[in-house]
Amino acid sequence: MRTRIAIATHAFLERHFPERRVFLRSDTDTRFMRLRPATQLIAFSGATLIVGWAIIATAILLMDSIGSGNFREQAKRDQRTYEQRLNELSSERDKRAAEAREAQERFNTALEQISVMQSELLASETRRREMETGIGVIQATLRRTMQERDAARGQSETLTAQLENSGSAGPLAEDEDAGASPVDFLTAALADTAAERDQISADAQDALLQADEMQQQIRLMQDQNDQIFRQLEDAMTISVEPLDKMFSAAGMNTETMLDTVRKGYSGQGGPLMPLSFSTRSEQPSPDAERANGILNQMDRLNLYRIAAEKAPFALPLKGAFRYTSGFGKRWGRLHAGTDMAGPTGMPIYATADGVVTHAGWQSGYGRLVKIKHAFGVETRYAHQSKIRVTKGQRVSRGDHIGDMGNSGRSTGTHLHYEVRVNGDAVNPMTYIKAARDVF
């Protein structure tokens, strides 16, 4: 069996690789080399392997080159898309900031209009009270005038009756030298009485006309007051409801917060006081109740405005930046703040009024500023390149407190911004998003 296989193999090699001889001749000698079929097969196989390896290696290099080119193009496209997205986000943020500034301007304009409307309301209420008093005086004068007119009519009728009963003769006619005739005296008295009666009637008519005019003015002023009341109530609703939602969205108890602001109120003039138009323990009128309701809303709006300055609803950065890491678990531990990346030296601003409790180096945080605010809130600004405040300094919202850097345990230039309530870390974006539709 093996012999037959060997014979077949040898016949196959002889047929495809016949024995060849390579002659090598010199000047004096001639030699030759025998290339047996097996040797030729080995040489052919080796050459085939080398050529195949070269082809495969070349193909692999070409594929790698093409693939790396595709990867680079894809990476460039991804980078362009990412940069475009960042630009869109930056434009959107700038747009939101512009809208916030416009909203703040509208808010200030509304406050000014409300103040003007309040002054007009109080002035109109004063004029209405004065006109009501004037109507009362006119009505009293009219009643007195009517009584005097009735008395004058009675006297006139009495004198007329006496004149008719006296006749043309009598003791009065016996002495012409005594003076003027009683008839002339009575006639003059009647004429005076008639003139006085006519004057009293004219005065009564004028008083009635004035009363009607004043009643019409009072109705007109009541309509104007009602319109002013409606405008003030609508303005209060539009102004107070977004603020109420903002504080509620931030997880703050509005009533407790407002009580805290009232206790620490130090503004000029103090809180708004309710109106009181009666000094005789009478029930307030509907207008007074509406005015008191508006003043209560204005007081609430003013307290909200003060509270908004004391709570961290603003952004710590005003230039172009990007969010790189949010609040939550990261690498098995709590990332207690929000990271905002930007250029080195970018200004950092306080997000609310407060007092600086720490301004220096702290392990992990690097250069750190801590600010204590009202309502048990504290904000932290870490990894700064330069601190621009000192411990114990009082700052207001928007004050420049430091510059962005890469100090401490940091992998790049950014601001690590934290908000803590009663010592517990909360998501800063809760406050930032809550104020996005208000400021």
Side-chain angles (χ1 to χ4, degrees), residues 212-341:
D212 292 337
E213 291 177 357
M214 294 187 72
Q215 288 289 348
Q216 185 176 1
Q217 291 180 1
I218 288 175
R219 287 193 295 270
L220 180 60
M221 290 183 65
Q222 287 176 345
D223 293 339
Q224 292 176 349
N225 288 345
D226 184 66
Q227 183 178 2
I228 292 175
F229 275 129
R230 286 198 303 269
Q231 292 176 351
L232 288 173
E233 289 167 351
D234 293 341
M236 287 297 98
T237 300
I238 294 173
S239 300
V240 173
E241 283 187 359
L243 292 172
D244 199 358
K245 291 180 180 179
M246 179 184 73
F247 286 103
S248 298
M252 304 177 69
N253 189 307
T254 56
E255 298 302 327
T256 303
M257 178 195 64
L258 293 180
D259 290 339
T260 303
V261 175
R262 287 191 185 96
K263 291 177 182 178
Y265 194 95
S266 59
Q268 182 178 1
L272 296 175
M273 301 301 293
L275 295 175
S276 178
F277 296 117
S278 176
T279 59
R280 294 174 293 184
S281 301
E282 296 179 356
Q283 292 294 329
S285 64
D287 288 345
E289 292 181 352
R290 293 181 71 179
N292 285 331
I294 293 173
L295 288 177
N296 289 333
Q297 290 291 90
M298 291 184 67
D299 181 55
R300 190 179 184 91
L301 180 62
N302 190 39
L303 294 175
Y304 271 143
R305 179 184 59 80
I306 297 172
E309 295 289 334
K310 298 179 180 294
F313 288 109
L315 277 169
L317 302 176
K318 296 182 180 179
F321 68 92
R322 69 182 187 277
Y323 295 101
T324 56
S325 183
F327 179 89
K329 290 289 185 179
R330 188 176 70 175
W331 301 331
R333 56 186 299 180
L334 177 64
H335 183 240
T338 296
D339 292 344
M340 307 174 188

Side-chain angles (χ1 to χ4, degrees), residues 14-58:
E14 285 291 340
R15 186 172 57 253
H16 292 86
F17 299 99
E19 182 177 331
R20 300 177 187 274
R21 293 181 181 182
V22 178
F23 290 90
L24 301 176
R25 188 177 67 178
S26 64
D27 293 337
T28 60
D29 192 11
T30 301
R31 296 182 180 182
F32 67 92
M33 295 178 55
R34 295 178 62 188
L35 296 178
R36 297 178 180 178
T39 304
Q40 295 181 41
L41 176 62
I42 293 171
F44 177 78
S45 299
T48 302
L49 289 174
I50 292 172
V51 172
W53 175 81
I55 293 173
I56 294 173
T58 304

